[in-house]
Amino acid sequence: LYRGEDPKKDQSYMLFALTQKQLSKTLFPLGNMDKTKVKEIARNNQLVSANSKESQDVCFICPPETTQSYLLSKFGEKNGEIIDYKTGKVLGIHKGAFNFTIGQRKGIGIAASEPLYVISTDPDENKIYVGFKDLLSSQEFDVENVNWQQQEYADMQEFSAMTKIRYNSAAKEAIIIKTGKNSLHVKLKEPQFAITPGQAAVFYDMNNEYVLCGGWIK
C-alpha cells in the first residue's frame, strides 16, 4: 500500500486496515495524480464534480447541520463536570463529553492564566479533564489490533518506522517494539502533541513511501 502522489490527498493512513487480499483486488486510478490534474480531467469531461467544493467535515453531515448539532440530536444535552487534570478540582460544567476531543482548546469556556486544553475525556462518567498545553506532549504510546501490510515486519521484535498519529499530521521517526502478536509499543524520536486513544497510528518505511502496518492507539 503506497502513498498517493498528492501528499495533501494521500489516503494511505485511512486504508491501513485493508488486507493484502483486499488490496490485490483494488485499483486506485487517481493515485498517481494530484488534485489539479484530476479537476482538469473532470472539466474536460464536463463532470459535475469539476466545480464541487472541498469536503471539510463528516461526509454524511450536510449544512446547515454541523457535527455538534448532529451529535446533540443523537445523544442529547447532558451536563457534566470540567475537571482540572492536575488537582481534580471541578472548574465548570459542559453540555456533553462527546463535544470534546483530546487536544481541543476552543469551547471549554473557562478563563485561566494560560489557554486550557482537553487532556482526557471520560464518556462513561460524562467528564472532561483540562490543563495546560505542556501536558499534551508525549513520546511513547501503545497500539493494539495491528494490521500487518508487510508480513516480514510482523516477525521482527523491533524496527524503525515513520509514524503518523492522525490523518493531517506529518510522519515522524519512531522505534516500534512488538509487545504481542498484534500489539506494539511506540517510542517517538521527538514528543508529539495530543496523542489520542482511539485514533489510528500508521507506520511507514523509513523513506515514507509505503505502509508497513497500522493499528489503534490505546
Side-chain angles (χ1 to χ4, degrees):
L1 178 58
Y2 279 87
R3 283 183 174 277
E5 186 72 22
D6 187 342
K8 293 181 180 179
K9 299 298 178 183
D10 170 45
Q11 298 296 311
S12 60
Y13 173 85
M14 307 299 295
L15 297 171
F16 81 89
L18 291 177
T19 65
Q20 285 297 312
K21 183 177 180 180
Q22 290 168 327
L23 285 169
S24 71
K25 300 180 183 297
T26 305
L27 297 175
F28 298 103
L30 305 182
N32 294 323
M33 304 181 198
D34 62 21
K35 189 63 176 284
T36 302
K37 180 63 175 177
V38 173
K39 286 285 191 180
E40 180 185 339
I41 293 171
R43 281 192 295 271
N44 291 341
N45 288 274
Q46 299 180 329
L47 300 180
V48 175
S49 57
N51 299 311
S52 62
K53 294 182 179 180
E54 294 283 332
S55 174
Q56 300 293 335
D57 211 329
V58 181
C59 61
F60 57 82
I61 296 176
C62 300
E65 190 171 39
T66 64
T67 300
Q68 186 176 37
S69 66
Y70 173 80
L71 291 172
L72 278 170
S73 71
K74 293 295 182 182
F75 300 111
E77 192 173 293
K78 184 180 179 183
N79 289 347
E81 295 175 341
I82 302 173
I83 301 170
D84 186 300
Y85 183 81
K86 278 191 171 181
T87 67
K89 180 181 177 181
V90 176
L91 302 177
I93 300 297
H94 62 78
K95 295 182 179 181
F98 56 81
N99 286 309
F100 299 90
T101 58
I102 293 174
Q104 181 174 328
R105 182 170 68 87
K106 294 182 179 180
I108 296 173
I110 294 174
S113 59
E114 299 177 37
L116 292 172
Y117 292 78
V118 177
I119 307 301
S120 66
T121 65
D122 186 342
D124 293 334
E125 296 294 328
N126 196 33
K127 296 177 180 179
I128 68 167
Y129 295 83
V130 300
F132 298 143
K133 189 175 183 179
D134 63 296
L135 292 172
L136 286 166
S137 291
S138 54
Q139 278 184 264
E140 298 189 25
F141 60 95
D142 293 307
V143 176
E144 60 186 353
N145 298 324
V146 174
N147 181 53
W148 298 95
Q149 291 287 346
Q150 298 295 318
Q151 192 57 44
E152 62 267 32
Y153 284 84
D155 299 327
M156 296 181 184
Q157 189 59 38
E158 182 177 310
F159 58 92
S160 296
M162 301 301 292
T163 303
K164 285 190 71 168
I165 58 170
R166 57 179 58 86
Y167 173 73
N168 59 357
S169 69
K172 301 295 184 180
E173 186 175 345
I175 299 296
I176 317 302
I177 301 168
K178 194 174 180 183
T179 55
K181 183 178 180 181
N182 294 307
S183 59
L184 305 169
H185 182 71
V186 181
K187 294 183 177 181
L188 290 158
K189 189 174 182 180
E190 299 175 352
Q192 295 299 303
F193 176 75
I195 298 173
T196 305
Q199 289 269 38
V202 180
F203 307 97
Y204 297 80
D205 69 291
M206 290 302 291
N207 291 323
N208 205 23
E209 294 178 345
Y210 57 87
V211 176
L212 305 179
C213 62
W216 303 100
I217 299 172
K218 291 180 66 175

